């Protein structure tokens, strides 16, 4: 056992006193303040007790407790409580107070800091009739508290006030020989002076009180503290205003890489054509990528944003089977659905294509043959599930079963939706054929593998070999010169946007195919993945049909911009997040309406009402400059974050800017000053002018997130078009783009309140009322505009099973080309069952029918 | 020893925190706390979860004290107990599970110092401090299964409750950077009977980012 201490470290007083008092034998070594004794700490910590088993005790109180413990005095509730109080309440106050006394000579303030803890101690001691804190005899609590207080209470300049009980107790403990020895050793007769070196090296956080609410709040917001120079520079840059800068060049298709420009190729994961995308798909891929694409274009990058529907794969086949259409019909139908939805969400693709094109076949075959010629493909036999009743091998998406890793009951044959791990279909427990619900058997079949030397063999070749090639073929359908993007790694930076389940394919399979083809392909530079977005308390699931879908969003009457805002606000960047109707209303009302909209509207209204629509003269004082510097700092943050595709965090910067603006207006009260004398009127003018310029900046930074609102603001303010690109150049410059005398247009409110009743109605209408426990039920959440009728979940469950069974029957009959009359009869039964199911689920079947086109 | 007591300890702060933990148990799923009271309830929720883990049947009565909302365990027959660590240690002894506080003087001290670390460093720390705390803890856990070495203790429980709000916010990449913390955290959140009031944090098993990237 060995104790490490440092001279002039106040924490060593208690430890040495406890060591002496406990009568424990132990080597003591004096080291410097900078000595790193505990290997796992970044900053040096002292005192430290090295235990016989090699562990380090780095908490002075725990060292004391340990020394008492091994000498036979166990911890009690009472000693524990004093030790905890000392560590959490007393110690922070003592360190702050010592800092003031020893380094700043602020004796009065130092005493004020100690007032509360000392009063508490006085009160506690006064209620006791024992000489020591917890008992008749001295305990670890007495030593720890006494030692903490010693440097202050023994300092003649420190006025602790009238504390009769504390004084008596303090002298009793201090009279112990052990205490006197330890004080002599650590302070060496120099009192507080001896602690100077220690206190100077103390991190600032330990010398500031944490419990004062203002400090805590500032730390929470990460408020930026600005220097005078920073503020002056910001004001200087701002006042220079808009210089004649080249107008933003119009986008000309086809966009091709250009020498001397930053050439960015953006893809978002190709949505499967087999279904309507839900909100999770939208935020995960296309919307996130759209924000970045818009941002990049504003920054002046030469950028191409490509996406399209993935129309191959067994999922399509499955869907076609379900809807009784041919795969091609399904593709045509859903491609149009996708395109419509993305257009409504204002996704600004340069090209939105599809994978069922000749180019796809050409490019896929080219890459395939190149891989084959180079010997990168292996043929191997694999065990696969075969459904005997359907007479076919089951592709991954045709089987479902229990995940072998997490036991999720509805894992698919290729991947588990819950834990995200890749699965070999034969590993599934209790596998079921999705078509006939029979249990498949394991059989061998031949497959091609991409041979990734020493990495992994991936059995998903047949799905994932061709899907990402869609990016290439869609680009090829956009322009014949597609190779300028895709075979140009020197000039092009490639960003892939996707949800987390796509990461393995985009990071391994796809790059490996391109590398193996040895044809100078552009490989991914930035892989941007989101986690999952859940729906209310349950999961969105395309395959199970749970959640709000893209085509329903527009039926809500809530503007596309508000949808974009809310989805981006909860973009699942580090952790899964959940869509919730009530939260959406809350964010709309608090952030958009009361914060952002309120500020922009007020700034504009002041110009119209008080200054006849002309931006007034601005004479900046310190406060204005401070605001300008704050806004500039947020703008710089915004740019830094978006450069790193931290979309959600950058959105917070926008909201911070308007929060600063609102505070600024609130404090300066231009609506009152305008009625005052000349000086006051000038002040009202400056505040209004600065505010309306902040509003103009907001319109710029909003453009990637809420394009329509952004456009509306600039229209209302008649902002010069060059303001957008100018302010977003380099690291971001906040300038006065609306100078004195500038005429603004008509100002009107930007956002509308979402009322509770409205949101409740939407929640009901869109079926989000499912409880978490029923999330596994395969209930299609289709909108029903009719009044909700009495729902019967039990009956609904039975009917769901019956509908599924009857559906199968119909499909089998159709597949066997049975007589029309026979089929029709079964279809009629099916429709009737569906109707009953709708009723049991509390929906209005008539309204639902009307929805179908 | 501790009984239901209807007298609030602190008349100033009893407004938000006068609740029997049993009520909290029952309403945990429907509780929708505002930001302000959320912080307060967290400490009490933690104690509630701990009580459940320990299998304590008799409901204890709690309140909070002071601006920092320190939990207080009320008691009919004597002074109340103040402070998260103090109360948690008391509950462990009450449930006759002393091994959770450490079965030797050395281990008791190690457990004690991590409990203190939780309430002094982890609680109310600034964003800058968080990075250092995570880095140090990650380093510490490099060769350990639990905070006190090879045995599960109260230190793991309270550190898990206290660090949850930080780990929830970590990006995938950061979770990989603090690999040892993530492993320990995942282990504790799956330890039977611990998680209760906290949502699970998703931990990816397969690494997404290449190692040595930082």
């Amino acid at each position: 056992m060995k104790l490490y201490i440092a001279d002039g470290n106040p924490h060593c007083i208690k430890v040495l006193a406890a060591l002496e008092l406990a009568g424990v034998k132990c080597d003591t070594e004096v080291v410097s303040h900078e000595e790193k004794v505990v290997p796992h700490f970044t900053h040096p910590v002292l005192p430290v007790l090295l235990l016989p088993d090699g562990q380090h005790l780095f908490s002075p109180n725990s060292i004391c407790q340990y020394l008492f413990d091994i000498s036979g005095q166990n911890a009690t509730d009472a000693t524990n409580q004093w030790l905890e109080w000392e560590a959490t309440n007393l110690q922070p106050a003592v360190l702050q107070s010592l800092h003031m006394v020893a380094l700043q000579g602020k004796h009065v303030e130092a005493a004020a800091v100690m007032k509360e803890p000392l009063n508490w101690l006085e009160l506690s001691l006064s209620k006791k009739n024992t000489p020591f804190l917890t008992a008749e005899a001295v305990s670890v609590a007495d030593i720890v508290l006494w030692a903490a207080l010693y440097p202050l209470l023994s300092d003649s300049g420190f006025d602790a006030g009238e504390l009769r009980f504390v004084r008596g107790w303090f002298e009793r403990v201090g009279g112990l020989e052990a205490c006197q020895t330890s004080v002599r050793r650590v302070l060496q007769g120099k009192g507080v002076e001896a602690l100077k070196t220690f206190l100077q090296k103390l991190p600032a956080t330990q010398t500031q009180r944490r419990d004062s609410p203002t400090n805590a709040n500032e730390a929470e917001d990460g408020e930026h503290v600005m220097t005078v120079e920073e503020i002056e520079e910001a004001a200087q840059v701002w006042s220079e205003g808009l210089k004649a800068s080249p107008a933003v060049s119009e986008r000309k298709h086809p966009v091709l890489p250009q020498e001397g420009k930053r050439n960015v190729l953006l893809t978002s994961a190709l949505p499967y054509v087999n279904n309507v995308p839900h909100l999770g798909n939208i935020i995960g891929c296309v919307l996130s990528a759209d924000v970045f694409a818009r941002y990049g274009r504003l920054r002046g990058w030469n950028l191409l944003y490509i996406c399209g529907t993935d129309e191959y794969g067994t999922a399509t086949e499955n869907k076609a089977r379900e809807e009784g259409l041919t795969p091609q019909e399904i593709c045509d139908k859903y491609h149009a659905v996708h395109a419509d939805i993305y257009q409504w969400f204002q996704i600004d693709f340069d090209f939105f294509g599809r994978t069922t094109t000749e180019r796809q076949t050409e490019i896929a075959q080219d890459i395939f043959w190149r891989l084959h010629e180079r010997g990168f493909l292996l043929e191997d036999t694999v065990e696969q599930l075969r459904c005997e009743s359907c007479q076919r091998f089951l592709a991954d998406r045709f089987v479902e079963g229990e995940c072998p890793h997490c036991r999720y009951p509805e894992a698919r044959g290729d991947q588990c939706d819950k834990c995200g791990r890749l699965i070999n279909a034969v590993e599934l427990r209790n596998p079921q054929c999705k078509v006939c619900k029979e249990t498949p058997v394991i059989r061998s079949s031949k497959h091609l593998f991409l041979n990734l030397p020493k990495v992994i063999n991936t059995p998903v070749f047949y799905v994932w070999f061709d899907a990402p090639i869609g990016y290439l073929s869609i680009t090829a359908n956009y322009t014949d010169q597609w190779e300028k993007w895709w075979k140009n790694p020197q000039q092009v930076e490639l960003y892939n946007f996707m949800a987390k389940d796509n990461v393995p394919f985009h990071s391994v399979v796809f790059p490996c195919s391109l590398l193996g083809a040895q044809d100078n392909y552009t490989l991914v530079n930035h892989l941007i993945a989101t986690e999952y977005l859940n729906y209310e308390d349950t999961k969105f699931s395309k395959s199970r049909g749970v959640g709000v879908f893209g085509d329903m969003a527009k039926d809500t009457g809530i503007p596309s911009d508000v949808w974009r805002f809310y989805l981006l606000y909860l973009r699942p960047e580090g952790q899964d997040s959940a869509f919730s109707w009530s939260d959406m209303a809350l964010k709309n009302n608090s952030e958009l309406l009361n914060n952002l909209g309120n500020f922009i509207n007020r700034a504009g209204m002041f110009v119209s009402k008080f200054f006849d629509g002309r931006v007034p003269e601005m004479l900046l004082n310190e406060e204005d400059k401070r605001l300008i510097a704050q806004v500039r700092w947020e703008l710089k943050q915004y740019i830094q974050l978006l450069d790193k595709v931290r979309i959600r965090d950058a959105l917070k910067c926008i909201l911070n800017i308007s929060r600063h603006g609102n505070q600024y207006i609130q404090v300066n009260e231009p609506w009152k000053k305008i009625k005052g004398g000349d000086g006051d009127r000038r002040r009202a003018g400056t505040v209004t002018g600065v505010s309306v310029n902040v509003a103009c900046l907001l319109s710029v930074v909003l453009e990637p997130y809420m394009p329509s609102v952004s456009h509306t603001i600039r229209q209302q303010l008649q902002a010069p078009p060059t303001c957008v690109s100018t302010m977003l150049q380099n690291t971001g410059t906040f300038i006065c783009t609306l100078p004195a005398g500038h005429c603004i247009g008509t100002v009107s409110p930007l956002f509308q309140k979402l009322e509770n009743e409205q949101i409740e109605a939407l929640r009901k209408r869109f079926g989000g009322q499912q409880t978490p426990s029923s999330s596994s039920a395969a209930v299609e959440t289709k909108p029903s505009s009719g009044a909700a009728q009495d729902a019967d979940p039990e009956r609904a469950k039975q009917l769901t099973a019956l509908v599924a069974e009857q559906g199968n029957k119909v499909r089998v009959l159709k597949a066997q080309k049975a007589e029309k009359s026979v089929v029709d009869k079964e279809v009629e039964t099916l429709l009737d069952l569906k109707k009953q199911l709708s009723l049991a689920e509390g929906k209005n079947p008539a309204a639902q029918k009307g929805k179908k086109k | 020893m501790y009984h239901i007591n209807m007298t609030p300890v602190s008349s100033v702060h009893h407004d938000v925190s006068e609740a029997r933990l049993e009520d909290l148990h029952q309403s945990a799923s429907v509780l929708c706390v505002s930001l302000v009271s959320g912080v307060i309830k967290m400490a009490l929720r933690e104690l509630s979860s701990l009580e459940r883990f320990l299998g304590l049947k008799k409901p204890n009565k709690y309140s909070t004290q002071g601006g920092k909302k320190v939990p207080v365990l009320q008691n009919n027959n004597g002074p109340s107990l103040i402070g998260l660590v103090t109360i948690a240690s008391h509950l462990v002894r009450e449930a006759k599970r002393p091994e959770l506080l450490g079965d030797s003087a050395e281990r008791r001290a190690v457990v004690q110092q991590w409990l203190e670390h939780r309430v002094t460093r982890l609680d109310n720390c600034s964003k800058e401090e968080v990075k250092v705390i995570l880095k140090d803890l990650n380093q510490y856990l490099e060769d350990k299964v639990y905070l006190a070495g090879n045995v599960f203790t109260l230190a793991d429980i309270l550190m898990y409750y206290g660090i949850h709000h930080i780990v929830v916010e970590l990006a995938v990449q950061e979770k990989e950077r603090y690999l040892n913390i993530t492993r320990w955290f995942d282990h504790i959140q799956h330890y039977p009977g611990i998680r209760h009031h906290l949502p699970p944090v998703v931990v990816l098993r397969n690494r997404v980012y290449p190692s040595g990237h930082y």
Side-chain angles (χ1 to χ4, degrees):
Chain A
M1 199 159 74
K2 190 166 180 182
L3 180 66
Y4 296 88
I5 57 168
D7 289 330
N9 178 326
H11 302 310
C12 294
I13 300 176
K14 59 175 81 160
V15 174
L16 287 171
L19 186 65
E20 182 94 12
L21 213 57
V24 176
K25 276 193 97 62
C26 172
D27 286 343
T28 306
E29 187 181 335
V30 180
V31 295
S32 83
H33 292 286
E34 268 92 69
E35 186 92 12
K36 270 186 65 179
V37 183
V38 187
H40 66 264
F41 276 136
T42 312
H43 302 299
V45 176
L46 285 166
V48 171
L49 183 68
L50 177 64
L51 292 174
D53 64 359
Q55 289 239 61
H56 292 94
L57 289 184
F58 52 82
S59 141
N61 289 5
S62 299
I63 297 175
C64 294
Q65 176 67 64
Y66 171 71
L67 294 169
F68 272 80
D69 197 348
I70 55 176
S71 68
Q73 295 184 52
N74 294 335
T76 63
D77 281 346
T79 58
N80 275 346
Q81 182 169 318
W82 280 117
L83 259 51
E84 183 173 3
W85 180 76
E86 195 271 348
T88 54
N89 288 45
L90 184 61
Q91 203 52 248
V94 163
L95 288 176
Q96 190 189 13
S97 187
L98 278 174
H99 204 262
M100 288 169 164
V101 170
L103 302 177
Q104 300 165 302
K106 292 185 187 168
H107 286 89
V108 183
E109 292 87 342
V113 169
M114 289 300 293
K115 204 168 172 355
E116 200 191 306
L118 281 174
N119 282 344
W120 169 258
L121 185 58
E122 176 76 4
L123 186 72
S124 309
L125 283 164
S126 71
K127 287 185 198 156
K128 283 259 173 194
N129 37 23
T130 54
F132 293 100
L133 279 173
T134 57
E136 292 294 328
V138 73
S139 75
V140 65
D142 296 296
I143 297 300
V144 164
L145 263 74
W146 166 83
L149 290 169
Y150 182 84
L152 284 173
L153 292 189
S154 63
D155 188 76
S156 53
F158 183 84
D159 178 21
E162 180 69 30
L163 300 163
R164 202 156 57 87
F165 292 96
V166 171
R167 285 285 173 196
W169 161 83
F170 184 73
E171 260 141 47
R172 264 194 297 284
V173 183
L176 298 166
E177 182 55 36
C179 294
Q180 291 180 3
T181 328
S182 69
V183 165
R184 273 198 299 276
R185 184 143 181 203
V186 177
L187 301 181
Q188 295 168 336
K190 289 186 269 183
V192 176
E193 282 294 298
L195 307 177
K196 268 192 171 173
T197 320
F198 168 84
L199 291 168
Q200 275 161 351
K201 295 197 188 319
L202 216 54
T205 44
Q206 285 191 29
T207 53
Q208 290 157 7
R209 287 297 288 274
R210 286 140 175 239
D211 51 353
S212 71
T214 44
N215 273 0
N217 283 346
E218 268 174 25
E220 273 293 289
D221 296 346
E223 196 105 318
H224 176 60
V225 185
M226 282 169 303
T227 62
V228 181
E229 296 82 45
E230 219 174 311
I231 294 173
E232 279 306 318
E233 194 201 334
Q236 179 65 37
V237 171
W238 188 77
S239 303
E240 281 169 15
L242 207 54
K243 295 192 189 108
S245 61
V248 192
S249 48
E250 281 286 302
R251 217 189 315 171
K252 271 195 221 98
H253 292 295
V255 180
L256 291 172
Q258 288 173 27
E259 190 64 44
K261 280 214 165 190
R262 182 169 176 187
N263 297 299
V264 175
L265 176 56
L266 215 68
T267 68
S268 83
L270 306 182
Y272 268 136
V273 81
N274 68 323
N275 227 329
V276 181
H278 60 65
L279 297 181
N281 304 137
I282 289 165
I283 181 64
C285 315
V286 291
L287 180 54
S288 295
D290 181 60
V291 172
F292 192 66
R294 285 172 180 272
Y295 169 76
R297 289 182 194 122
L298 292 179
R299 293 273 277 159
W301 304 341
N302 186 44
L303 182 144
L304 181 71
Y305 178 17
I306 287 292
C307 189
T309 42
D310 174 10
E311 311 192 343
Y312 289 108
T314 50
T316 313
E317 221 176 305
N318 239 359
K319 190 73 185 178
R321 199 178 281 264
E322 245 170 65
E323 297 201 4
L325 296 170
T326 68
Q328 187 58 53
E329 284 167 339
I330 279 287
C331 291
D332 293 346
K333 175 182 164 190
Y334 281 101
H335 177 78
V337 168
H338 277 265
D340 263 6
I341 289 169
Y342 300 142
Q343 194 181 14
W344 186 78
F345 274 98
Q346 307 172 71
I347 309 295
D348 191 7
F349 302 115
D350 288 294
F351 187 67
F352 185 72
R354 46 201 303 189
T355 55
T356 46
T357 64
E358 273 171 38
R359 292 302 205 137
Q360 171 79 12
T361 318
E362 267 167 42
I363 296 169
Q365 284 181 357
D366 177 56
I367 293 176
F368 175 86
W369 284 116
R370 283 176 157 271
L371 289 173
H372 188 71
E373 282 160 16
R374 287 162 181 74
F376 290 137
L377 297 179
L378 290 177
E379 196 183 33
D380 201 359
T381 315
V382 273
E383 302 204 306
Q384 221 190 344
L385 294 175
R386 183 182 161 86
C387 179
E388 296 294 351
S389 71
C390 300
Q391 293 280 306
R392 54 192 268 157
F393 280 104
L394 296 177
D396 296 341
R397 293 193 174 240
F398 279 101
V399 260
E400 251 184 21
E402 192 183 299
C403 172
H405 305 288
C406 74
R407 307 215 151 193
Y408 181 62
E410 291 166 64
R412 301 187 313 249
D414 53 349
Q415 193 167 30
C416 171
D417 269 343
K418 181 127 180 268
C419 67
R421 269 174 286 203
L422 303 182
I423 297 173
N424 219 334
V426 290
E427 297 168 356
L428 284 176
R429 293 161 196 240
N430 308 321
Q432 261 194 351
C433 169
K434 271 193 83 171
V435 179
C436 67
K437 305 286 176 211
E438 289 292 317
T439 306
V441 294
I442 296 177
R443 289 273 184 280
S444 295
S445 73
K446 276 188 179 174
H447 272 269
L448 278 175
F449 286 88
L450 186 57
N451 188 8
L452 310 178
K454 292 178 215 141
V455 194
I456 44 166
N457 281 341
T458 163
V460 284
F461 178 73
Y462 54 96
V463 178
W464 276 97
F465 172 74
D466 63 333
I469 290 172
Y471 297 138
L472 280 61
S473 74
I474 289 169
T475 315
N477 280 308
Y478 166 69
T479 167
D480 287 341
Q481 305 173 63
W482 64 276
E483 289 170 327
K484 286 192 174 162
W485 285 108
W486 282 102
K487 293 185 181 177
N488 190 0
Q490 295 80 12
Q491 274 192 322
V492 174
E493 255 181 274
L494 174 58
Y495 283 76
N496 289 157
F497 282 73
M498 71 207 69
K500 64 181 170 191
D501 53 342
N502 269 334
V503 170
F505 307 114
H506 283 81
S507 55
V508 181
V509 182
F510 185 41
C512 285
S513 308
L514 293 183
L515 274 173
Q518 296 179 346
D519 205 7
N520 192 33
Y521 275 107
T522 307
L523 299 174
V524 61
N525 301 92
H526 303 270
L527 197 149
I528 318 290
T530 55
E531 309 261 334
Y532 291 142
L533 177 76
N534 294 322
Y535 179 66
E536 296 276 343
D537 283 332
T538 172
K539 254 166 109 74
F540 273 107
S541 169
K542 213 154 40 174
S543 35
R544 282 182 298 282
V546 178
V548 171
F549 291 81
D551 54 344
M552 304 169 184
K554 63 179 142 182
D555 298 339
T556 57
I558 298 170
S560 149
D561 270 18
V562 174
W563 277 104
R564 287 177 63 114
F565 165 81
Y566 182 60
L567 290 174
L568 291 163
Y569 190 92
L570 29 102
R571 182 169 187 257
E573 288 186 2
Q575 167 92 3
D576 290 0
S577 62
F579 172 90
S580 136
W581 284 105
S582 52
D583 187 50
M584 181 173 183
L586 188 75
K587 293 290 158 13
N588 176 73
N589 297 345
S590 62
E591 292 291 6
L592 289 184
L593 192 68
N594 290 341
N595 175 13
L596 191 68
N598 184 38
F599 171 72
I600 295 169
N601 193 241
R602 278 213 287 184
M605 285 309 280
F606 291 154
V607 178
S608 324
K609 247 166 79 182
F610 303 146
F611 302 96
D612 293 329
R614 277 176 189 280
V615 177
E617 213 52 62
M618 290 160 272
L619 295 161
L620 304 184
N621 69 13
E622 280 315 303
E623 210 185 332
D624 309 321
K625 289 178 183 171
R626 175 167 289 276
L627 174 83
I628 290 169
Q630 267 173 338
V631 170
R632 180 169 100 134
W633 189 78
E634 293 287 354
L635 171 65
K636 285 179 184 299
Q637 288 294 103
Y638 167 90
I639 287 180
Q640 276 182 20
L641 288 166
L642 271 185
D643 276 350
K644 293 185 207 140
V645 209
R646 304 257 301 271
I647 293 172
R648 188 188 59 182
D649 292 344
L651 180 54
K652 305 264 156 82
C653 294
I654 302 180
L655 299 171
N656 283 343
I657 292 176
S658 65
R659 246 188 291 278
H660 287 312
N662 271 323
Q663 261 168 23
Y664 171 76
I665 292 186
Q666 210 54 39
V667 169
N668 287 294
E669 304 182 312
W671 63 93
K672 276 190 191 161
K673 296 227 166 70
I674 193 73
K675 293 173 192 145
D678 271 3
D680 272 358
R681 288 182 59 84
R682 267 202 299 278
R683 184 76 198 123
T686 303
V687 173
T688 304
V690 171
S691 299
V692 80
N693 270 289
V694 173
C696 183
L697 171 72
L698 280 169
S699 81
V700 171
V701 288
L702 271 175
E703 150 85 38
Y705 294 85
M706 306 175 81
S708 303
V709 167
S710 160
H711 187 72
T712 310
I713 299 169
R714 280 202 297 283
Q715 218 166 28
Q716 291 185 1
L717 299 179
Q718 307 261 316
T722 48
C723 72
V724 182
S725 53
T726 310
M727 289 202 271
L728 287 182
Q729 238 141 55
N730 303 322
T731 58
T733 35
F734 175 35
I735 47 176
C736 176
T737 47
L738 309 175
H742 171 90
C743 271
I744 67 164
T746 317
V747 177
S748 60
L750 299 164
F751 302 106
Q752 286 196 333
K753 191 172 179 193
L754 287 176
E755 300 291 348
N756 261 343
E757 304 80 66
Q758 190 184 352
I759 279 298
E760 272 312 306
L762 284 171
R763 192 209 307 277
K764 285 220 175 72
R765 183 171 146 210
F766 289 99
Q769 74 271 47
Q770 291 149 315
T771 53
S773 58
S774 73
S775 63
S776 58
V779 180
E780 288 263 338
T781 46
K782 287 210 175 131
S784 69
S785 46
Q789 288 144 9
D790 289 349
D792 181 353
E794 250 337 285
R795 177 87 182 122
K797 228 178 188 170
Q798 291 169 3
L799 283 165
T800 308
L802 289 172
V803 167
E805 200 182 303
Q806 186 66 21
N808 275 328
K809 202 167 170 187
V810 171
R811 273 190 291 277
V812 171
L813 286 173
K814 277 184 179 167
Q816 293 167 348
K817 303 218 161 42
E819 270 184 50
K820 195 174 178 295
S821 61
V822 182
V823 177
D824 282 352
K825 199 174 146 233
E826 295 302 330
V827 168
E828 210 177 295
T829 319
L830 178 63
L831 288 176
D832 184 49
L833 278 169
K834 279 188 173 168
K835 208 161 133 192
Q836 287 181 42
L837 175 61
S838 288
L839 286 169
E841 284 173 348
K843 292 174 191 163
N844 183 341
Q848 208 184 70
K849 214 169 179 179
K851 278 266 161 230
K852 286 186 186 151
K853 282 162 211 156
Chain B
M1 179 175 157
Y2 286 89
H3 297 290
I4 297 171
N5 175 356
M6 292 313 288
T7 335
V9 162
S10 146
S11 54
V12 190
H13 294 293
H14 74 276
D15 49 339
V16 273
S17 48
E18 277 294 312
R20 269 176 37 202
L21 288 183
E22 217 181 6
D23 301 338
L24 286 180
H25 287 168
Q26 284 159 2
S27 55
S29 57
V30 289
L31 255 182
C32 183
V33 284
S34 73
L35 263 173
V36 189
S37 61
V39 183
I40 307 149
K41 290 231 167 92
M42 277 321 278
L44 298 187
R45 290 262 197 93
E46 262 183 78
L47 288 168
S48 151
S49 296
L50 181 63
E51 282 187 344
R52 282 211 278 173
F53 168 73
L54 293 169
L56 290 172
K57 293 272 157 32
K58 225 166 25 174
N60 280 309
K61 173 96 177 142
Y62 296 87
S63 62
T64 61
Q65 188 189 56
K68 285 197 281 187
K69 310 287 177 193
V70 179
V72 178
L73 171 60
Q74 294 176 235
N75 171 21
N76 268 354
N77 307 333
S80 43
L81 282 184
I82 307 169
L84 182 68
V85 170
T86 306
I87 298 172
S89 307
H90 169 80
L91 294 177
V92 166
R93 270 189 297 252
E94 195 182 51
K96 305 230 175 352
R97 298 284 302 277
E99 76 281 3
L100 288 175
L101 295 172
D103 50 8
S104 65
E106 284 76 22
R107 192 155 280 149
R108 276 194 290 277
V110 172
V111 170
Q112 188 61 39
Q113 84 175 348
W114 284 108
L115 294 177
E116 184 190 303
H117 189 80
R118 151 74 205 270
V119 288
T120 54
R121 298 290 315 278
L122 211 51
D123 291 355
N124 319 311
C125 63
S126 71
K127 275 181 189 157
E128 285 315 300
E129 285 174 277
V130 163
K131 286 188 196 134
V132 177
I133 290 172
L134 290 178
K135 184 167 170 263
D136 291 354
L137 183 61
N138 191 56
Q139 181 85 34
Y140 176 76
L141 285 169
E142 190 167 29
D143 57 354
K144 290 173 188 68
V145 180
Y146 300 102
L147 284 167
N150 294 325
V151 288
F152 176 79
T153 63
L154 181 63
D156 296 299
I157 304 178
L158 288 203
M159 279 292 282
Y160 160 69
Y161 290 155
I163 210 168
H164 187 277
H165 72 280
I166 297 172
V167 177
V168 160
E169 294 290 322
L170 293 183
V172 177
Q173 191 169 10
E174 290 170 305
K175 282 185 204 160
E176 289 191 9
R177 181 180 313 155
Y178 305 119
L179 193 67
N180 302 317
I181 296 184
T182 310
R183 163 185 48 76
W184 164 82
F185 185 93
D186 197 34
H187 188 37
I188 305 303
Q189 74 173 349
H190 287 104
Y191 201 94
I194 294 295
R195 213 191 70 225
H196 291 309
H197 66 289
L198 295 169
V201 173
V202 181
V203 171
L204 297 183
R205 291 288 149 78
N206 18 14
R207 290 192 74 140
V208 175
Y209 298 90
S211 55
H213 180 71
Y214 321 110

